[in-house]
Amino acid sequence: HLTRWHGMVIDLFIPHDPALRCIVLILALMLDAWLGEPQWLWRNLPHPVVLFGRAIGFFERHFNRRDRTGRTRRMLGVVAIIILILLAAGTGGGIMAGASIGGNALTIPVELVLVAILIAGRSLDDHTRAVAIALEGGSMKDARRAISMIVGRNPDALDAHAIARAGIETTAENLSDGVIAPALFYLLFGLPGIIAYKMINTADSMTGYKSRRYFAYGYGAARIDDLVNLIPARLTGLLIALASPAGFFGAIRVMWRDAGRHRSPNAGWPEAAMAARLGLSLAGPRLYGQRMSQDAPMNGEGRREATASDIRRSLSLMWRAIALAGLLTGMAGLAIITLT
């Protein structure tokens, strides 16, 4: 009985057809690039990330009470993120189990739609391109409003060059968090993997702050997010460096030298690679709310005067990196099919 249950768990949470997942992922990347986020749908239905946020908020309201000590809140934060991960993975497994009743004719479309929804390449492009359009139109008010939608720093303290740098930095970082990492977790673990990853990433974005409210409670979410993004962030940096042949070794050199200086153990890798490819100096001291960070610059020898044109170049690099990820996925799928 134990052997049978063990086999059922493996089948549910670690699907055994990696070649099929490669095909679904390639199609999902294409579908996301084509349609992005259909606003008409999310006006009538809650987006999965909204549902994740509600679940995270439920635990935060009940566990992160001010009358508890910091040590207790830290422990409860760890308990909460573990429960949320199990719920997310279980939901993915349940969806796969239900869809599998109809065979591949149902399983493939269900997975394709869900993976495309949980990959955010087109959404990232839309939000960042809005910053470039506002800067090109000469409206600092519109540019600050657009950049406030995608970064946490104080937009009123940013000039045009700082706004452009912020847009490029979030393009690099969210290429990892929003596209490459969820794609990798889907390839490795199917729907349970990608849904669990998105839960972790959403929990970190909601509670993983070093503020008075979240410093203790958000510790678990922040540390787990750091862990699951270790490989995707470095892979994203490599994909950016590979996005065009010229300057590859220079990007690798800058990434290797500067990534470890970033405040995040992961964000520095794609940001340093992007900075090198564009000839810019990114990161450095930045104002978050009323607090000035003392971050080291990525590619300090580059220029600081980033423009809307540089934002568009960063988006071009992003799409080339995604296309390269799709190509490598296709090659992996072919290799699996050949070997089996």
Side-chain angles (χ1 to χ4, degrees):
H1 291 295
L2 286 175
T3 302
R4 185 178 65 195
W5 278 104
H6 181 260
M8 290 174 63
V9 168
I10 290 177
D11 286 345
L12 188 60
F13 291 102
I14 306 181
H16 52 266
D17 194 347
L20 184 60
R21 291 202 300 275
C22 290
I23 295 170
V24 170
L25 178 59
I26 293 170
L27 294 174
L29 290 171
M30 294 170 65
L31 186 61
D32 171 66
W34 177 36
L35 293 179
E37 296 283 356
Q39 294 305 315
W40 60 267
L41 177 62
W42 307 128
R43 282 193 292 266
N44 297 283
L45 293 173
H47 193 284
V49 174
V50 173
L51 297 178
F52 297 160
R54 291 176 185 174
I56 294 161
F58 173 83
F59 281 96
E60 197 270 335
R61 287 191 302 274
H62 287 82
F63 285 6
N64 192 27
R65 298 208 317 249
R66 292 185 178 181
D67 59 340
R68 290 181 169 133
T69 66
R71 182 177 181 179
T72 299
R73 284 188 288 164
R74 175 178 287 199
M75 179 189 69
L76 289 174
V78 172
V79 171
I81 190 61
I82 291 173
I83 294 172
L84 288 164
I85 292 170
L86 292 175
L87 285 172
T91 299
I95 293 170
M96 291 182 63
S100 66
I101 295 173
N104 284 344
L106 181 61
T107 301
I108 293 175
V110 167
E111 291 201 23
L112 173 59
V113 170
L114 287 174
V115 174
I117 288 171
L118 295 174
I119 287 176
R122 177 65 180 273
S123 177
L124 175 58
D125 181 286
D126 289 343
H127 283 89
T128 308
R129 197 173 298 276
V131 178
I133 292 171
L135 288 174
E136 290 165 344
S139 173
M140 289 299 296
K141 180 180 179 180
D142 289 345
R144 288 188 173 116
R145 184 186 303 114
I147 200 64
S148 70
M149 302 294 291
I150 54 177
V151 300
R153 65 198 75 168
N154 184 356
D156 295 330
L158 303 178
D159 62 16
H161 297 312
I163 289 173
R165 289 196 303 272
I168 294 165
E169 289 160 9
T170 200
T171 297
E173 182 176 356
N174 284 290
L175 171 59
S176 176
D177 294 351
V179 182
I180 303 303
L184 183 60
F185 272 81
Y186 172 70
L187 280 180
L188 294 175
F189 305 113
L191 282 185
I194 190 172
I195 295 176
Y197 173 81
K198 294 297 289 189
M199 178 67 82
I200 294 167
N201 194 241
T202 305
D204 177 62
S205 68
M206 290 179 63
T207 66
Y209 298 105
K210 293 183 178 180
S211 63
R212 188 172 184 177
R213 178 176 176 179
Y214 294 118
F215 185 80
Y217 180 78
Y219 174 84
R223 298 289 77 77
I224 292 177
D225 185 75
D226 288 342
L227 178 63
V228 299
N229 280 297
L230 279 173
I231 294 175
R234 286 148 182 81
L235 177 59
T236 303
L238 180 60
L239 289 170
I240 293 171
L242 285 167
S244 61
F248 168 75
F249 291 105
I252 293 295
R253 177 183 60 81
V254 170
M255 187 167 57
W256 187 262
R257 183 194 68 193
D258 292 348
R261 302 174 184 175
H262 200 282
R263 59 156 62 195
S264 163
N266 297 316
W269 294 86
E271 283 190 28
M274 185 70 79
R277 296 314 306 259
L278 298 177
L280 293 172
S281 174
L282 299 177
R286 292 168 287 186
L287 186 64
Y288 290 85
Q290 301 300 317
R291 180 177 58 84
M292 178 64 76
S293 73
Q294 298 301 318
D295 295 346
M298 302 288 103
N299 192 37
E301 60 270 28
R303 56 187 170 85
R304 297 288 287 177
E305 297 78 19
T307 65
S309 176
D310 292 313
I311 295 178
R312 292 185 180 275
R313 291 169 59 209
S314 73
L315 292 174
S316 177
L317 281 170
M318 180 193 81
W319 284 114
R320 283 188 238 166
I322 292 173
L324 182 57
L327 176 62
L328 293 174
T329 300
M331 293 171 62
L334 287 173
I336 293 168
I337 291 170
T338 302
L339 292 173
T340 55

